[in-house]
């Protein structure tokens, strides 16, 4: 095993386990699915329970798949899609930098997740294409941002 292989393994494990932990936290931590569903509803992802369950399942499955290195373009696509939806629905209004809750971190995670495809150009195009299609489709079909309250 080369240092490059070890570096990819470490990156896959860290990103994958972190993403899976986020999914499992939605299932078993804090407010669980009902609490996550209420939050999703509040940011415009409706129906909230559907999206909370979908996000938790995708985060868990994509994270574990990425960590295990199984069919990496598919979990990488899930990773890209999750980060794009999060960036658009939650972080976009806050600008770029994470210190102001911007989308910087989502970009880094999506890029790292997408780079772990390990199946040449076909894997890259598959993970990027599926990730973009999933995110754009979800946003077009389900995202209804809450109206701004007058001040």
């Amino acid at each position: 095993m080369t240092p490059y292989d070890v570096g990819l393994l470490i990156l896959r494990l860290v990103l994958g386990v972190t993403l899976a932990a986020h999914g499992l936290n939605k299932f078993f931590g804090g407010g669980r699915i009902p609490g996550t569903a209420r939050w999703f509803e509040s940011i415009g992802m409706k129906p909230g329970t559907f999206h909370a369950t979908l996000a938790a399942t995708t985060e868990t499955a994509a994270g574990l798949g990425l960590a295990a290195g199984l069919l990496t373009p598919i979990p990488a696509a899930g990773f890209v899609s999750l980060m794009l939806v999060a960036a658009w629905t939650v972080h976009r209004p806050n600008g770029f930098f994470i210190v102001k809750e911007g989308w910087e971190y989502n970009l880094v995670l999506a890029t790292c997740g997408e780079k772990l495809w390990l199946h040449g150009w076909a894997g890259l195009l598959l993970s990027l294409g599926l990730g973009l299609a999933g995110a754009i489709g979800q946003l077009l079909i389900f995202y209804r941002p809450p109206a701004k309250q007058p001040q």
Side-chain angles (χ1 to χ4, degrees):
M1 190 175 258
T2 69
Y4 177 79
D5 294 329
V6 172
L8 282 177
L9 174 63
I10 292 168
L11 186 59
R12 265 197 3 255
L13 288 172
V14 169
L15 288 174
V17 170
T18 299
L19 187 62
H22 275 269
L24 292 171
N25 188 56
K26 284 177 178 63
F27 281 123
F28 304 111
R32 299 192 169 140
I33 294 297
T36 304
R38 285 189 296 277
W39 181 73
F40 274 19
E41 287 269 346
S42 78
I43 64 166
M45 293 303 293
K46 299 176 182 181
T49 300
F50 171 76
H51 288 287
T53 305
L54 180 65
T57 302
T58 304
E59 287 172 354
T60 303
L64 294 176
L66 199 61
L70 298 173
L71 303 169
T72 52
I74 304 303
F79 209 109
V80 168
S81 185
L82 287 161
M83 291 302 107
L84 289 176
V85 170
W88 189 265
T89 59
V90 178
H91 302 284
R92 177 180 48 92
N94 303 323
F96 178 73
F97 295 105
I98 191 64
V99 295
K100 294 186 178 180
E101 297 188 32
W103 52 271
E104 171 186 17
Y105 189 58
N106 300 108
L107 174 65
V108 170
L109 288 176
T111 303
C112 290
E114 185 268 328
K115 289 296 179 192
L116 294 173
W117 37 269
L118 301 177
H119 291 282
W121 286 105
L124 171 65
L125 294 175
L126 180 65
S127 64
L128 188 57
L130 286 175
L132 286 171
I136 292 168
Q138 186 177 20
L139 290 169
L140 288 174
I141 295 168
F142 296 107
Y143 182 54
R144 302 295 177 262
K148 299 276 186 199
Q149 299 298 323
Q151 296 187 13

